[in-house]
Amino acid sequence: MTPQAPTPAYRRLSVEERRSQLLDAALSLFAHRPPEEISLDDVAERAGVSRPLVYRYFPGGKQQLYEAALRSAADELRLCFDEPREGPLLARLSRALDRYLAFVGQHDAGFSALLRGGSVAETSRTSAIVDGVRRAAAEHIMSHLGVADPGPRLRMTVRMWITAVEAASLIWLDEGKQPPAEELRDWLVEQFAATLSVTARRDPQTDALVQALAADA
Amino acid sequence: MTPQAPTPAYRRLSVEERRSQLLDAALSLFAHRPPEEISLDDVAERAGVSRPLVYRYFPGGKQQLYEAALRSAADELRLCFDEPREGPLLARLSRALDRYLAFVGQHDAGFSALLRGGSVAETSRTSAIVDGVRRAAAEHIMSHLGVADPGPRLRMTVRMWITAVEAASLIWLDEGKQPPAEELRDWLVEQFAATLSVTARRDPQTDALVQALAADA
Protein backbone atom coordinates (compact mmCIF):
# COMPACT_ATOMS: atom_id res chain seq x y z
CA MET A 1 0.00 0.00 0.00
CA THR A 2 2.96 2.31 -0.56
CA PRO A 3 2.15 5.38 -2.64
CA GLN A 4 3.30 4.96 -6.20
CA ALA A 5 3.28 6.93 -9.41
CA PRO A 6 0.15 6.10 -11.42
CA THR A 7 1.15 3.43 -13.91
CA PRO A 8 -0.61 3.53 -17.26
CA ALA A 9 -1.27 -0.21 -17.18
CA TYR A 10 -4.20 0.27 -19.50
CA ARG A 11 -2.01 1.69 -22.23
CA ARG A 12 -0.86 -0.91 -24.72
CA LEU A 13 2.86 -1.32 -24.27
CA SER A 14 5.14 -3.07 -26.72
CA VAL A 15 6.78 -6.28 -25.49
CA GLU A 16 10.03 -4.41 -24.91
CA GLU A 17 8.32 -1.54 -23.08
CA ARG A 18 6.40 -3.95 -20.88
CA ARG A 19 9.49 -5.95 -20.07
CA SER A 20 11.37 -2.83 -19.18
CA GLN A 21 8.46 -1.60 -17.05
CA LEU A 22 8.50 -4.86 -15.08
CA LEU A 23 12.28 -4.73 -14.66
CA ASP A 24 12.06 -1.15 -13.40
CA ALA A 25 9.42 -2.19 -10.89
CA ALA A 26 11.60 -5.10 -9.75
CA LEU A 27 14.73 -2.93 -9.46
CA SER A 28 12.89 -0.34 -7.40
CA LEU A 29 11.76 -3.11 -5.01
CA PHE A 30 15.25 -4.67 -4.84
CA ALA A 31 16.55 -1.23 -3.87
CA HIS A 32 14.74 -1.45 -0.53
CA ARG A 33 14.56 -5.14 0.30
CA PRO A 34 16.80 -8.17 -0.32
CA PRO A 35 15.86 -10.22 -3.41
CA GLU A 36 14.65 -13.21 -1.38
CA GLU A 37 11.92 -11.05 0.15
CA ILE A 38 10.47 -9.88 -3.16
CA SER A 39 7.69 -11.97 -4.71
CA LEU A 40 6.29 -11.79 -8.22
CA ASP A 41 3.09 -10.50 -6.58
CA ASP A 42 5.05 -7.53 -5.26
CA VAL A 43 6.40 -6.81 -8.72
CA ALA A 44 2.93 -7.11 -10.27
CA GLU A 45 1.49 -4.77 -7.66
CA ARG A 46 4.30 -2.28 -8.06
CA ALA A 47 3.93 -2.25 -11.85
CA GLY A 48 0.12 -2.18 -11.61
CA VAL A 49 -0.29 -5.33 -13.69
CA SER A 50 -1.60 -8.83 -13.07
CA ARG A 51 0.54 -11.63 -11.70
CA PRO A 52 -0.05 -13.85 -14.78
CA LEU A 53 1.34 -11.06 -16.91
CA VAL A 54 4.56 -11.02 -14.88
CA TYR A 55 4.76 -14.81 -15.29
CA ARG A 56 4.23 -14.51 -19.02
CA TYR A 57 7.33 -12.34 -19.26
CA PHE A 58 9.34 -14.33 -16.74
CA PRO A 59 8.13 -17.94 -16.92
CA GLY A 60 11.19 -19.00 -14.90
CA GLY A 61 9.70 -17.08 -11.96
CA LYS A 62 11.54 -15.09 -9.35
CA GLN A 63 15.04 -16.23 -10.19
CA GLN A 64 14.62 -15.38 -13.87
CA LEU A 65 13.21 -11.98 -13.01
CA TYR A 66 16.07 -11.37 -10.60
CA GLU A 67 18.69 -12.27 -13.17
CA ALA A 68 17.03 -10.13 -15.84
CA ALA A 69 16.86 -7.18 -13.43
CA LEU A 70 20.50 -7.73 -12.54
CA ARG A 71 21.47 -7.81 -16.21
CA SER A 72 19.58 -4.61 -16.80
CA ALA A 73 21.29 -2.97 -13.80
CA ALA A 74 24.67 -4.22 -15.04
CA ASP A 75 24.03 -2.61 -18.44
CA GLU A 76 23.12 0.65 -16.73
CA LEU A 77 26.26 0.44 -14.61
CA ARG A 78 28.45 -0.05 -17.67
CA LEU A 79 27.00 3.15 -19.10
CA CYS A 80 28.31 4.98 -16.03
CA PHE A 81 31.84 4.15 -17.18
CA ASP A 82 31.37 5.78 -20.59
CA GLU A 83 33.39 8.92 -20.63
CA PRO A 84 34.78 10.91 -23.57
CA ARG A 85 38.54 10.50 -24.03
CA GLU A 86 39.32 14.16 -23.45
CA GLY A 87 40.59 16.35 -20.64
CA PRO A 88 42.71 15.31 -17.64
CA LEU A 89 42.52 11.61 -16.78
CA LEU A 90 41.72 12.02 -13.11
CA ALA A 91 38.88 14.41 -13.98
CA ARG A 92 37.42 11.74 -16.26
CA LEU A 93 37.70 9.17 -13.46
CA SER A 94 36.02 11.64 -11.16
CA ARG A 95 33.03 12.06 -13.51
CA ALA A 96 32.66 8.30 -13.95
CA LEU A 97 32.72 7.88 -10.16
CA ASP A 98 29.99 10.51 -9.81
CA ARG A 99 27.73 8.47 -12.05
CA TYR A 100 28.74 5.24 -10.32
CA LEU A 101 27.96 6.61 -6.84
CA ALA A 102 24.61 7.95 -8.08
CA PHE A 103 23.85 4.44 -9.35
CA VAL A 104 24.89 2.88 -6.02
CA GLY A 105 22.80 5.37 -4.06
CA GLN A 106 19.78 4.73 -6.23
CA HIS A 107 19.96 0.91 -6.11
CA ASP A 108 20.96 0.81 -2.46
CA ALA A 109 19.85 -2.50 -0.85
CA GLY A 110 19.83 -4.31 -4.21
CA PHE A 111 23.41 -3.26 -4.81
CA SER A 112 24.45 -4.43 -1.34
CA ALA A 113 22.65 -7.76 -1.58
CA LEU A 114 24.32 -8.47 -4.86
CA LEU A 115 27.87 -7.67 -3.84
CA ARG A 116 27.72 -9.06 -0.34
CA GLY A 117 27.13 -12.60 -1.51
CA GLY A 118 25.29 -15.32 0.29
CA SER A 119 21.95 -14.21 -1.12
CA VAL A 120 19.70 -17.09 -2.10
CA ALA A 121 19.33 -15.39 -5.46
CA GLU A 122 23.08 -15.61 -6.06
CA THR A 123 24.26 -18.22 -8.54
CA SER A 124 27.28 -18.72 -10.75
CA ARG A 125 25.30 -16.83 -13.44
CA THR A 126 24.70 -13.78 -11.26
CA SER A 127 28.35 -13.84 -10.14
CA ALA A 128 29.39 -13.91 -13.80
CA ILE A 129 27.26 -10.82 -14.51
CA VAL A 130 28.91 -8.95 -11.64
CA ASP A 131 32.37 -10.08 -12.72
CA GLY A 132 31.59 -8.86 -16.22
CA VAL A 133 30.96 -5.37 -14.86
CA ARG A 134 34.24 -5.47 -12.93
CA ARG A 135 36.09 -6.51 -16.07
CA ALA A 136 34.38 -3.74 -18.06
CA ALA A 137 35.46 -1.20 -15.43
CA ALA A 138 39.08 -2.42 -15.64
CA GLU A 139 39.01 -2.28 -19.45
CA HIS A 140 37.65 1.26 -19.41
CA ILE A 141 40.39 2.35 -17.06
CA MET A 142 43.13 0.72 -19.17
CA SER A 143 41.72 2.28 -22.28
CA HIS A 144 41.67 5.76 -20.73
CA LEU A 145 45.20 5.20 -19.47
CA GLY A 146 46.10 4.35 -23.07
CA VAL A 147 47.48 0.95 -22.08
CA ALA A 148 46.81 -1.75 -24.64
CA ASP A 149 48.85 -4.46 -22.98
CA PRO A 150 48.85 -4.04 -19.19
CA GLY A 151 51.43 -6.07 -17.29
CA PRO A 152 50.46 -8.16 -14.24
CA ARG A 153 51.43 -5.50 -11.69
CA LEU A 154 49.36 -2.79 -13.34
CA ARG A 155 46.42 -5.17 -13.79
CA MET A 156 46.55 -6.21 -10.16
CA THR A 157 46.70 -2.58 -9.06
CA VAL A 158 43.67 -1.55 -11.09
CA ARG A 159 41.64 -4.59 -10.04
CA MET A 160 42.53 -4.00 -6.39
CA TRP A 161 41.35 -0.42 -6.63
CA ILE A 162 38.07 -1.49 -8.29
CA THR A 163 37.43 -3.96 -5.46
CA ALA A 164 38.30 -1.32 -2.92
CA VAL A 165 35.78 1.03 -4.56
CA GLU A 166 33.10 -1.66 -4.24
CA ALA A 167 33.96 -2.15 -0.59
CA ALA A 168 33.84 1.59 0.00
CA SER A 169 30.43 1.76 -1.71
CA LEU A 170 29.00 -0.90 0.57
CA ILE A 171 30.37 0.78 3.68
CA TRP A 172 29.04 4.09 2.38
CA LEU A 173 25.53 2.62 2.10
CA ASP A 174 25.84 1.09 5.57
CA GLU A 175 26.83 4.45 6.98
CA GLY A 176 23.76 6.20 5.58
CA LYS A 177 25.71 7.61 2.59
CA GLN A 178 28.34 9.34 4.70
CA PRO A 179 30.71 10.97 3.83
CA PRO A 180 28.89 12.97 1.10
CA ALA A 181 29.28 11.49 -2.39
CA GLU A 182 31.57 14.33 -3.56
CA GLU A 183 34.01 13.75 -0.72
CA LEU A 184 33.98 9.99 -1.22
CA ARG A 185 34.56 10.49 -4.95
CA ASP A 186 37.58 12.77 -4.42
CA TRP A 187 39.01 10.41 -1.84
CA LEU A 188 38.63 7.43 -4.22
CA VAL A 189 40.37 9.36 -7.00
CA GLU A 190 43.23 10.22 -4.62
CA GLN A 191 43.43 6.55 -3.60
CA PHE A 192 43.69 5.63 -7.27
CA ALA A 193 46.61 7.98 -7.82
CA ALA A 194 48.31 6.80 -4.61
CA THR A 195 47.93 3.11 -5.38
CA LEU A 196 49.43 3.63 -8.85
CA SER A 197 52.35 5.53 -7.31
CA VAL A 198 53.13 2.64 -4.98
CA THR A 199 53.15 0.19 -7.87
CA ALA A 200 55.27 2.58 -9.94
CA ARG A 201 58.18 1.96 -7.56
CA ARG A 202 58.33 -1.65 -8.77
CA ASP A 203 56.92 -1.47 -12.26
CA PRO A 204 58.28 0.66 -15.15
CA GLN A 205 54.98 0.51 -17.09
CA THR A 206 53.07 1.96 -14.11
CA ASP A 207 55.87 4.45 -13.48
CA ALA A 208 55.49 5.84 -17.00
CA LEU A 209 51.74 6.23 -16.39
CA VAL A 210 52.27 8.04 -13.12
CA GLN A 211 54.63 10.50 -14.84
CA ALA A 212 52.04 11.03 -17.57
CA LEU A 213 49.28 11.57 -14.98
CA ALA A 214 51.39 14.14 -13.15
CA ALA A 215 52.09 16.01 -16.40
CA ASP A 216 48.41 15.82 -17.34
CA ALA A 217 46.90 17.18 -14.12
CA MET B 1 43.64 -42.68 -6.99
CA THR B 2 45.92 -39.80 -6.07
CA PRO B 3 48.85 -40.78 -3.87
CA GLN B 4 48.23 -39.91 -0.26
CA ALA B 5 49.97 -40.16 3.06
CA PRO B 6 49.07 -43.42 4.81
CA THR B 7 46.31 -42.62 7.25
CA PRO B 8 46.25 -44.51 10.52
CA ALA B 9 42.53 -45.20 10.25
CA TYR B 10 42.90 -48.29 12.39
CA ARG B 11 44.11 -46.29 15.38
CA ARG B 12 41.31 -45.32 17.75
CA LEU B 13 40.91 -41.60 17.55
CA SER B 14 38.99 -39.48 20.01
CA VAL B 15 35.86 -37.77 18.70
CA GLU B 16 37.74 -34.50 18.43
CA GLU B 17 40.74 -36.09 16.68
CA ARG B 18 38.48 -37.86 14.22
CA ARG B 19 36.51 -34.74 13.49
CA SER B 20 39.65 -32.79 12.91
CA GLN B 21 41.06 -35.58 10.68
CA LEU B 22 37.92 -35.42 8.53
CA LEU B 23 38.05 -31.63 8.34
CA ASP B 24 41.71 -31.76 7.30
CA ALA B 25 40.84 -34.25 4.56
CA ALA B 26 37.99 -32.01 3.38
CA LEU B 27 40.16 -28.88 3.41
CA SER B 28 42.89 -30.58 1.40
CA LEU B 29 40.28 -31.57 -1.21
CA PHE B 30 38.69 -28.09 -1.26
CA ALA B 31 42.19 -26.72 -1.95
CA HIS B 32 42.17 -28.32 -5.39
CA ARG B 33 38.54 -28.45 -6.46
CA PRO B 34 35.46 -26.27 -5.88
CA PRO B 35 33.23 -27.42 -2.99
CA GLU B 36 30.38 -28.50 -5.26
CA GLU B 37 32.64 -31.12 -6.83
CA ILE B 38 33.61 -32.77 -3.54
CA SER B 39 31.44 -35.64 -2.30
CA LEU B 40 31.42 -37.25 1.14
CA ASP B 41 32.83 -40.32 -0.62
CA ASP B 42 35.86 -38.30 -1.65
CA VAL B 43 36.37 -37.15 1.92
CA ALA B 44 35.99 -40.71 3.24
CA GLU B 45 38.50 -42.00 0.70
CA ARG B 46 40.96 -39.23 1.44
CA ALA B 47 40.73 -39.81 5.18
CA GLY B 48 40.84 -43.60 4.72
CA VAL B 49 37.57 -44.13 6.57
CA SER B 50 34.11 -45.40 5.66
CA ARG B 51 31.40 -43.17 4.24
CA PRO B 52 29.01 -43.97 7.14
CA LEU B 53 31.64 -42.70 9.53
CA VAL B 54 31.79 -39.37 7.69
CA TYR B 55 28.00 -39.20 7.90
CA ARG B 56 28.07 -39.96 11.59
CA TYR B 57 30.21 -36.89 12.15
CA PHE B 58 28.36 -34.73 9.65
CA PRO B 59 24.76 -35.95 9.55
CA GLY B 60 23.82 -32.79 7.64
CA GLY B 61 25.93 -34.11 4.75
CA LYS B 62 28.06 -32.10 2.37
CA GLN B 63 26.84 -28.67 3.37
CA GLN B 64 27.46 -29.31 7.05
CA LEU B 65 30.93 -30.65 6.31
CA TYR B 66 31.68 -27.64 4.12
CA GLU B 67 30.59 -25.18 6.78
CA ALA B 68 32.58 -26.99 9.48
CA ALA B 69 35.67 -27.01 7.24
CA LEU B 70 35.15 -23.34 6.53
CA ARG B 71 34.83 -22.57 10.23
CA SER B 72 38.02 -24.49 10.91
CA ALA B 73 39.83 -22.60 8.11
CA ALA B 74 38.48 -19.31 9.47
CA ASP B 75 39.89 -20.15 12.92
CA GLU B 76 43.25 -20.94 11.36
CA LEU B 77 43.15 -17.69 9.41
CA ARG B 78 42.45 -15.68 12.57
CA LEU B 79 45.57 -17.19 14.10
CA CYS B 80 47.57 -15.69 11.21
CA PHE B 81 46.66 -12.25 12.50
CA ASP B 82 48.06 -12.90 15.98
CA GLU B 83 51.18 -10.87 16.32
CA PRO B 84 52.97 -9.62 19.44
CA ARG B 85 52.50 -5.91 20.09
CA GLU B 86 56.19 -5.05 19.79
CA GLY B 87 58.51 -3.62 17.19
CA PRO B 88 57.66 -1.33 14.26
CA LEU B 89 54.02 -1.50 13.17
CA LEU B 90 54.64 -2.09 9.49
CA ALA B 91 57.02 -4.96 10.32
CA ARG B 92 54.22 -6.57 12.36
CA LEU B 93 51.82 -6.15 9.44
CA SER B 94 54.44 -7.68 7.19
CA ARG B 95 54.75 -10.79 9.38
CA ALA B 96 50.97 -11.21 9.59
CA LEU B 97 50.77 -10.94 5.79
CA ASP B 98 53.46 -13.62 5.43
CA ARG B 99 51.30 -16.01 7.40
CA TYR B 100 48.17 -14.93 5.55
CA LEU B 101 49.74 -15.50 2.13
CA ALA B 102 51.04 -18.90 3.26
CA PHE B 103 47.48 -19.76 4.27
CA VAL B 104 46.10 -18.54 0.93
CA GLY B 105 48.72 -20.50 -1.01
CA GLN B 106 47.95 -23.63 0.93
CA HIS B 107 44.16 -23.46 0.60
CA ASP B 108 44.26 -22.26 -2.98
CA ALA B 109 41.05 -23.29 -4.83
CA GLY B 110 39.04 -23.50 -1.60
CA PHE B 111 40.03 -19.96 -0.73
CA SER B 112 39.07 -18.74 -4.21
CA ALA B 113 35.74 -20.57 -4.28
CA LEU B 114 34.82 -19.09 -0.97
CA LEU B 115 35.67 -15.49 -1.72
CA ARG B 116 34.50 -15.43 -5.30
CA GLY B 117 30.88 -16.10 -4.39
CA GLY B 118 28.28 -17.82 -6.48
CA SER B 119 29.33 -21.23 -5.18
CA VAL B 120 26.42 -23.56 -4.51
CA ALA B 121 27.91 -24.11 -1.07
CA GLU B 122 27.63 -20.41 -0.25
CA THR B 123 24.87 -19.42 2.13
CA SER B 124 24.21 -16.53 4.46
CA ARG B 125 25.95 -18.66 7.14
CA THR B 126 29.14 -19.11 5.13
CA SER B 127 29.12 -15.41 4.22
CA ALA B 128 28.82 -14.59 7.92
CA ILE B 129 31.88 -16.74 8.69
CA VAL B 130 33.92 -14.92 6.03
CA ASP B 131 32.69 -11.53 7.25
CA GLY B 132 33.70 -12.52 10.77
CA VAL B 133 37.27 -13.06 9.57
CA ARG B 134 37.27 -9.66 7.84
CA ARG B 135 36.02 -8.01 11.01
CA ALA B 136 38.69 -9.81 13.05
CA ALA B 137 41.37 -8.57 10.64
CA ALA B 138 40.10 -4.99 10.98
CA GLU B 139 40.02 -5.27 14.79
CA HIS B 140 43.58 -6.61 14.89
CA ILE B 141 44.78 -3.72 12.77
CA MET B 142 43.00 -1.13 14.92
CA SER B 143 44.38 -2.71 18.05
CA HIS B 144 47.96 -2.63 16.70
CA LEU B 145 47.43 0.95 15.61
CA GLY B 146 46.38 1.64 19.20
CA VAL B 147 43.03 3.04 18.11
CA ALA B 148 40.18 2.21 20.47
CA ASP B 149 37.55 4.32 18.76
CA PRO B 150 38.20 4.55 15.01
CA GLY B 151 36.24 7.22 13.14
CA PRO B 152 34.34 6.42 9.94
CA ARG B 153 37.15 7.53 7.60
CA LEU B 154 39.78 5.40 9.27
CA ARG B 155 37.41 2.43 9.44
CA MET B 156 36.58 2.75 5.76
CA THR B 157 40.27 3.00 4.87
CA VAL B 158 41.20 -0.14 6.79
CA ARG B 159 38.25 -2.13 5.44
CA MET B 160 39.04 -1.03 1.89
CA TRP B 161 42.61 -2.17 2.28
CA ILE B 162 41.49 -5.55 3.67
CA THR B 163 39.19 -6.04 0.68
CA ALA B 164 41.98 -5.01 -1.66
CA VAL B 165 44.25 -7.61 -0.03
CA GLU B 166 41.60 -10.28 -0.66
CA ALA B 167 41.32 -9.21 -4.28
CA ALA B 168 45.09 -9.27 -4.66
CA SER B 169 45.21 -12.77 -3.13
CA LEU B 170 42.68 -14.09 -5.64
CA ILE B 171 44.54 -12.53 -8.57
CA TRP B 172 47.79 -13.90 -7.15
CA LEU B 173 46.32 -17.44 -7.15
CA ASP B 174 45.00 -16.94 -10.69
CA GLU B 175 48.43 -15.84 -11.84
CA GLY B 176 50.12 -18.97 -10.50
CA LYS B 177 51.32 -17.19 -7.33
CA GLN B 178 53.16 -14.45 -9.17
CA PRO B 179 54.71 -12.11 -8.10
CA PRO B 180 56.56 -14.07 -5.35
CA ALA B 181 54.87 -13.90 -1.94
CA GLU B 182 57.62 -11.65 -0.47
CA GLU B 183 57.18 -9.07 -3.20
CA LEU B 184 53.39 -9.16 -2.92
CA ARG B 185 53.67 -8.78 0.85
CA ASP B 186 55.96 -5.73 0.62
CA TRP B 187 53.73 -4.17 -2.00
CA LEU B 188 50.62 -4.70 0.18
CA VAL B 189 52.38 -3.11 3.17
CA GLU B 190 53.33 -0.12 1.00
CA GLN B 191 49.73 0.12 -0.22
CA PHE B 192 48.58 0.16 3.40
CA ALA B 193 50.89 3.06 4.25
CA ALA B 194 49.87 4.93 1.08
CA THR B 195 46.14 4.49 1.61
CA LEU B 196 46.44 5.78 5.19
CA SER B 197 48.40 8.79 3.93
CA VAL B 198 45.63 9.68 1.48
CA THR B 199 43.02 9.51 4.23
CA ALA B 200 45.28 11.53 6.55
CA ARG B 201 44.76 14.58 4.30
CA ARG B 202 41.08 14.61 5.31
CA ASP B 203 41.07 13.02 8.72
CA PRO B 204 43.01 14.22 11.80
CA GLN B 205 42.79 10.82 13.52
CA THR B 206 44.43 9.11 10.55
CA ASP B 207 46.92 11.93 10.22
CA ALA B 208 48.11 11.36 13.79
CA LEU B 209 48.58 7.66 13.00
CA VAL B 210 50.58 8.40 9.86
CA GLN B 211 52.88 10.66 11.88
CA ALA B 212 53.31 7.93 14.48
CA LEU B 213 54.02 5.32 11.78
CA ALA B 214 56.68 7.56 10.23
CA ALA B 215 58.35 8.07 13.62
CA ASP B 216 58.12 4.36 14.34
CA ALA B 217 59.73 3.06 11.12
Side-chain angles (χ1 to χ4, degrees), chain A residues 162-185:
Chain A
I162 290 170
T163 315
V165 169
E166 280 179 30
S169 315
L170 292 175
I171 299 167
W172 183 64
L173 290 176
D174 276 350
E175 307 258 342
K177 302 184 189 168
Q178 283 303 317
E182 299 69 35
E183 183 184 332
L184 179 59
R185 171 204 65 201

Side-chain angles (χ1 to χ4, degrees), chain A residues 35-36 63 66-67 118-123 126:
Chain A
E36 54 269 35
Q63 186 65 25
Y66 177 70
E67 287 183 23
S119 155
V120 292
E122 197 188 1
T123 64
T126 62

Side-chain angles (χ1 to χ4, degrees), chain A residues 153 183 190-191 195 202, chain B residues 153 183 190-191 195 202:
Chain A
R153 284 172 182 75
E183 183 184 332
E190 289 165 20
Q191 293 285 3
T195 197
R202 303 172 179 277
Chain B
R153 284 172 184 76
E183 183 184 332
E190 290 165 19
Q191 293 283 2
T195 197
R202 301 172 181 279

Side-chain angles (χ1 to χ4, degrees), chain B residues 71-89:
Chain B
R71 224 167 263 124
S72 148
D75 290 343
E76 203 186 315
L77 193 44
R78 274 169 215 265
L79 289 180
C80 298
F81 307 148
D82 265 338
E83 177 63 34
R85 270 160 194 66
E86 53 193 44
L89 278 161

Side-chain angles (χ1 to χ4, degrees), chain B residues 109-126:
Chain B
F111 183 84
S112 297
L114 179 72
L115 290 184
R116 260 183 231 286
S119 155
V120 292
E122 197 188 0
T123 64
S124 55
R125 273 194 308 279
T126 63

Side-chain angles (χ1 to χ4, degrees), chain A residues 11-31:
Chain A
R11 184 164 77 77
R12 250 190 122 68
L13 300 180
S14 72
V15 168
E16 258 325 292
E17 283 172 329
R18 179 66 81 194
R19 202 181 131 82
S20 132
Q21 177 205 18
L22 297 178
L23 290 179
D24 285 349
L27 281 172
S28 69
L29 292 170
F30 291 140

Side-chain angles (χ1 to χ4, degrees), chain B residues 47-173:
Chain B
V49 302
S50 68
R51 194 165 188 275
L53 189 135
V54 180
Y55 260 106
R56 206 178 317 142
Y57 278 79
F58 302 100
K62 224 166 125 154
Q63 186 66 25
Q64 192 196 0
L65 174 79
Y66 176 71
E67 287 182 22
L70 177 57
R71 224 167 263 124
S72 148
D75 290 343
E76 203 186 315
L77 193 44
R78 274 169 215 265
L79 289 180
C80 298
F81 307 148
D82 265 338
E83 177 63 34
R85 270 160 194 66
E86 53 193 44
L89 278 161
L90 294 183
R92 298 184 217 167
L93 185 60
S94 186
R95 286 190 295 268
L97 279 171
D98 273 337
R99 290 189 293 270
Y100 168 78
L101 289 173
F103 174 93
V104 171
Q106 188 195 330
H107 291 86
D108 210 319
F111 183 84
S112 297
L114 179 72
L115 290 184
R116 260 183 231 286
S119 155
V120 292
E122 197 188 0
T123 64
S124 55
R125 273 194 308 279
T126 63
S127 297
I129 297 171
V130 177
D131 274 341
V133 176
R134 288 183 186 127
R135 261 199 312 280
E139 282 161 16
H140 271 274
I141 290 174
M142 292 306 178
S143 136
H144 280 275
L145 291 173
V147 178
D149 190 21
R153 284 172 184 76
L154 179 57
R155 269 188 287 131
M156 193 184 270
T157 305
V158 167
R159 286 170 64 185
M160 270 183 73
W161 180 78
I162 290 169
T163 314
V165 169
E166 280 179 32
S169 314
L170 291 175
I171 300 168
W172 183 63
L173 290 176

